Amino acid sequence: MAKYIFVTGGVVSSVGKGITAASIGKVLKSRNISVTIQKLDPYINVDPGTMSPYQHGEVYVTQDGAETDLDLGHYERFIDTDLTTASSVTTGQIYSSIIAQERQGVFLGGTIQVVPHVTNEIKRRFREVAEQSKANVVIVEVGGTVGDIEGLPFLEAIRQMRSDMGRENILYVHVTLLPYLSSTGELKTKPTQHSVNELRRIGIQPDVIVCRSDYPITEDIRDKIALFCDVDRRAVLPLPTLPIIYETPIVLEEAGLGELILEMLDLPQRSGDLREWRHLVEQMKEPTEPLHIAIVGKYVELHDAYISVREALRHAAVYHNRDVDIHWIQSEDLERDGDSLLRSVQGIVVPGGFGVRCIEGMIIAARYARENEIPYLGLCLGMQVMVIEYARHVLNSPQPNSTEFDEGTPYPVIDLLPEQRHLQEKGGTMRLGGYPCHLVKESRAASAYMEDVVYERHRHRFEFNNDFRETLERAGMVFSGLSPDGRLVEISEVRDHPFMVGTQFHPEFHSRPNRPHPLFRDFIEVAKEALLEGDQRPLPL
Ligand code: GLN
């Protein structure tokens, strides 16, 4: 039977609850305890798939095709386990499922209520993720902040779990912020006390309090929180803001979290081994010469929209003993000012995206990369843009496009598949999740992966249009990754170029801190060579 750790947040949002949940997972996994992590999102959307990046940041995609919260990306990067649809629960899903049951008459004329029907459905999801993953410990992060109106049914469900499962099988971790008052030069504990009071009012007494702060947390602050919140002093854990998020498990381990959790969950004590992770963090901390890489996108002012891309670049850079200095380039700036912003970078990434706005700027970036032999990595939309740009060059026409951006284009090099054209709904109608991709021998992609077949994650509607395959192939484009039936183009590359590769999938979701994605790894390798050859500034200025 699995044990559960419930992670709630207090005081304000964005204090790093997701990283804390992921780090708890890492600390346990380093002790050979199998873990999985589930995120509860209290909003009423069914999934974040249809939400704007401004609302939500990146949509993370699991191997089995769920569109999920970006915290699942942190979880996978920290615990290095593929999560599934069962790890992502929203209020929208809970209500959809209850209402569907009600329409089928499952409730036999009963009145459907938050307690017990909604809470039972939530608890069913807890059991489901435990059963599917067979994990010893299930970590469940409750999204939002204690006190949010939408979060109440989730908190009630986790409260019930303690009496359902027994005290020794449930642990409540509360993550709070200690604000700093510059006028008095001190950290304040009152908001933490209030948020713990709010939890208690609901019936939950936290066992562990993780205190986030931008400043060092003194022993007397720990004492005070322990006293006022009625928590074991050892269980008040300071977590100062860290420049490298991957250090969090190490800081929590050193603060005694691993031992404490085993003790509180009545699990046999065993020591953890974070040596490899520690080594990695040391490497990341080591200052090295930065590589200048551009991310050209629509939402660059919002770095959360490209978290997995940013992390994948970092993982690849640290593998090559380099720092990475990301130049966030708003693609509309390229439309306005031309390619001058790209002159100081050694590699260009065009990430995924939707909608026509910003496309032409991305095409300028692809063209600049092709003409100046700058390494280019196109991710999903980034591949489509690369193909459009190449087609415009080959056909010597500004008209090639994707029908997503220009329905009437005479050269629809990117298009919907015929069987998709009737689809009306927006949610859940994309090609989602892992699909096999066969690599074509002697291509750049094949040499990066060193495998014949890979399973990469998708999230898109449009595909490369095979009507143009021959023309573009003849003109120097290589279609180096294909679906098993050969019909869908999964990877394209430009033959006579140091590194110009686009993928119809999202390789960034598979990158891990200690295992960079092969395409990111090779992209950075080529970018790095560019620097060495050109001595500091490799590019035409
Ligand atoms: N908008 C494109 C499509 O739907 C690309 C999607 C993406 O980049 N994730 O095919």
Side-chain angles (χ1 to χ4, degrees):
M1 193 183 63
K3 298 187 184 250
Y4 290 85
I5 299 178
F6 294 105
V7 182
T8 54
V11 183
V12 288
S13 59
S14 314
V15 283
K17 198 155 31 91
I19 303 281
T20 306
S23 301
I24 294 173
K26 181 74 198 172
V27 163
L28 294 177
K29 207 173 165 190
S30 80
R31 289 177 160 73
N32 271 332
I33 295 171
S34 67
V35 288
T36 192
I37 315 188
Q38 184 180 50
K39 173 86 192 262
L40 309 178
D41 271 309
Y43 51 69
I44 297 166
N45 305 60
V46 172
D47 60 41
T50 49
M51 285 163 88
S52 151
Y54 289 113
Q55 296 283 317
H56 196 275
E58 169 182 284
V59 172
Y60 192 77
V61 181
T62 58
Q63 198 66 13
D64 67 346
E67 297 177 271
T68 74
D69 187 75
L70 54 82
D71 275 326
L72 268 83
H74 292 311
Y75 306 160
E76 287 202 349
R77 287 187 282 272
F78 277 69
I79 65 172
D80 198 10
T81 302
D82 278 357
L83 301 175
T84 66
T85 307
S87 276
S88 171
V89 176
T90 66
T91 297
Q93 288 166 22
I94 299 289
Y95 276 87
S96 299
S97 126
I98 293 174
I99 292 169
Q101 290 174 53
E102 188 268 341
R103 294 289 87 182
Q104 288 163 4
V106 172
F107 299 109
L108 303 172
T111 306
I112 303 164
Q113 296 178 297
V114 171
V115 183
H117 301 98
V118 171
T119 48
N120 281 351
E121 177 64 22
I122 297 171
K123 291 195 289 181
R124 191 182 69 71
R125 305 291 178 116
F126 297 156
R127 285 192 302 277
E128 184 182 66
V129 74
E131 278 157 21
Q132 268 187 20
S133 64
K134 313 239 175 335
N136 300 130
V137 176
V138 178
I139 300 165
V140 180
E141 179 192 345
V142 187
T145 308
V146 168
D148 294 347
I149 195 162
E150 292 97 339
L152 279 173
F154 289 115
L155 294 176
E156 170 57 18
I158 70 171
R159 183 196 69 77
Q160 292 175 14
M161 286 292 279
R162 190 163 246 181
S163 47
D164 289 2
M165 306 276 302
R167 189 155 284 273
E168 70 289 0
N169 294 318
I170 303 290
L171 191 78
Y172 298 112
V173 177
H174 192 50
V175 185
T176 74
L177 173 78
L178 305 182
Y180 177 79
L181 274 196
S182 54
S183 55
T184 51
E186 55 178 355
L187 290 174
K188 306 303 283 183
T189 65
K190 189 70 83 190
T192 298
Q193 296 176 41
H194 279 302
S195 101
V196 169
N197 277 345
E198 183 63 18
L199 263 185
R200 282 189 186 152
R201 202 179 58 76
I202 302 163
I204 298 169
Q205 165 64 41
D207 303 295
V208 175
I209 299 182
V210 175
C211 302
R212 290 278 299 104
S213 161
D214 289 336
Y215 294 85
I217 296 163
T218 56
E219 290 304 309
D220 48 318
I221 288 185
R222 281 180 81 178
D223 289 340
K224 196 167 164 187
I225 293 171
L227 178 68
F228 282 102
C229 301
D230 201 16
V231 170
D232 187 339
R233 196 186 168 287
R234 290 180 306 153
V236 180
L237 302 174
L239 183 57
T241 303
L242 301 165
I244 292 167
I245 54 169
Y246 299 109
E247 201 176 352
T248 314
I250 296 171
V251 170
L252 291 176
E253 175 66 59
E254 280 168 2
L257 180 73
E259 262 176 60
L260 198 69
I261 290 178
L262 296 191
E263 185 186 311
M264 289 177 158
L265 284 178
D266 209 10
L267 288 166
Q269 281 297 346
R270 47 175 121 154
S271 53
D273 181 1
L274 279 171
R275 268 174 303 184
E276 192 200 336
W277 195 263
R278 219 179 269 274
H279 176 69
L280 191 79
V281 171
E282 287 312 317
Q283 241 183 313
M284 289 180 179
K285 280 178 158 177
E286 198 71 41
T288 49
E289 202 179 333
L291 281 165
H292 296 271
I293 305 293
I295 295 185
V296 179
K298 183 170 170 182
Y299 301 105
V300 285
E301 69 284 12
L302 195 87
H303 297 183
D304 263 10
Y306 307 108
I307 278 195
S308 294
V309 177
R310 184 190 69 196
E311 292 307 306
L313 286 171
R314 286 186 180 159
H315 305 159
V318 75
Y319 176 89
H320 291 292
N321 279 318
R322 283 299 177 86
D323 283 339
V324 59
D325 181 354
I326 298 178
H327 297 220
W328 297 94
I329 297 180
Q330 166 56 248
S331 130
E332 277 169 324
D333 290 346
L334 296 180
E335 287 170 34
R336 204 184 43 239
D337 304 334
D339 55 25
S340 57
L341 282 169
L342 295 169
R343 297 210 184 130
S344 50
V345 301
Q346 296 152 277
I348 297 172
V349 178
V350 175
F354 295 83
V356 64
R357 181 166 76 82
C358 297
I359 294 302
E360 291 304 319
M362 295 174 190
I363 289 177
I364 292 174
R367 177 173 174 185
Y368 178 83
R370 180 177 56 76
E371 289 179 343
N372 295 281
E373 305 204 327
I374 306 301
Y376 176 97
L377 183 60
L379 311 170
C380 203
L381 177 64
M383 177 192 105
Q384 299 178 352
V385 158
M386 173 183 138
V387 169
I388 294 169
E389 193 283 319
Y390 206 74
R392 287 185 184 183
H393 160 67
V394 170
L395 300 170
N396 196 20
S397 155
Q399 283 184 306
N401 217 327
S402 160
T403 50
E404 181 182 5
F405 316 128
D406 176 6
E407 269 188 77
T409 169
Y411 307 109
V413 285
I414 307 291
D415 198 3
L416 288 176
L417 294 177
E419 59 266 34
Q420 286 175 310
R421 295 207 177 111
H422 64 282
L423 290 176
Q424 295 291 327
E425 287 208 1
K426 285 260 187 267
T429 53
M430 284 189 272
R431 180 143 85 106
L432 287 167
Y435 282 87
C437 163
H438 287 247
L439 297 162
V440 173
K441 293 210 166 37
E442 286 168 27
S443 61
R444 206 164 245 302
S447 88
Y449 280 107
M450 307 266 274
E451 276 179 88
D452 297 330
V453 188
V454 292
Y455 292 79
E456 293 279 11
R457 299 184 193 178
H458 294 250
R459 180 173 181 251
H460 58 102
R461 288 197 180 79
F462 293 79
E463 306 276 353
F464 177 80
N465 181 350
N466 288 324
D467 295 349
F468 296 88
R469 215 194 264 191
E470 230 188 280
T471 317
L472 293 183
E473 221 156 23
R474 247 185 287 120
M477 189 154 248
V478 180
F479 297 103
S480 55
L482 299 171
S483 59
D485 63 1
R487 220 179 128 221
L488 300 174
V489 168
E490 298 278 14
I491 312 178
S492 15
E493 29 191 279
V494 172
R495 197 189 298 128
D496 297 318
H497 188 285
F499 191 102
M500 189 149 192
V501 178
T503 61
Q504 189 52 81
F505 48 79
H506 289 276
E508 65 271 24
F509 295 144
H510 271 150
S511 179
R512 301 288 173 261
N514 51 351
R515 215 173 44 251
H517 189 282
L519 292 176
F520 277 87
R521 185 198 61 212
D522 286 10
F523 165 72
I524 290 290
E525 167 140 54
V526 180
K528 190 175 92 175
E529 282 160 14
L531 178 72
L532 289 175
E533 273 166 24
D535 195 22
Q536 300 303 322
R537 285 273 152 127
L539 309 175
L541 287 172

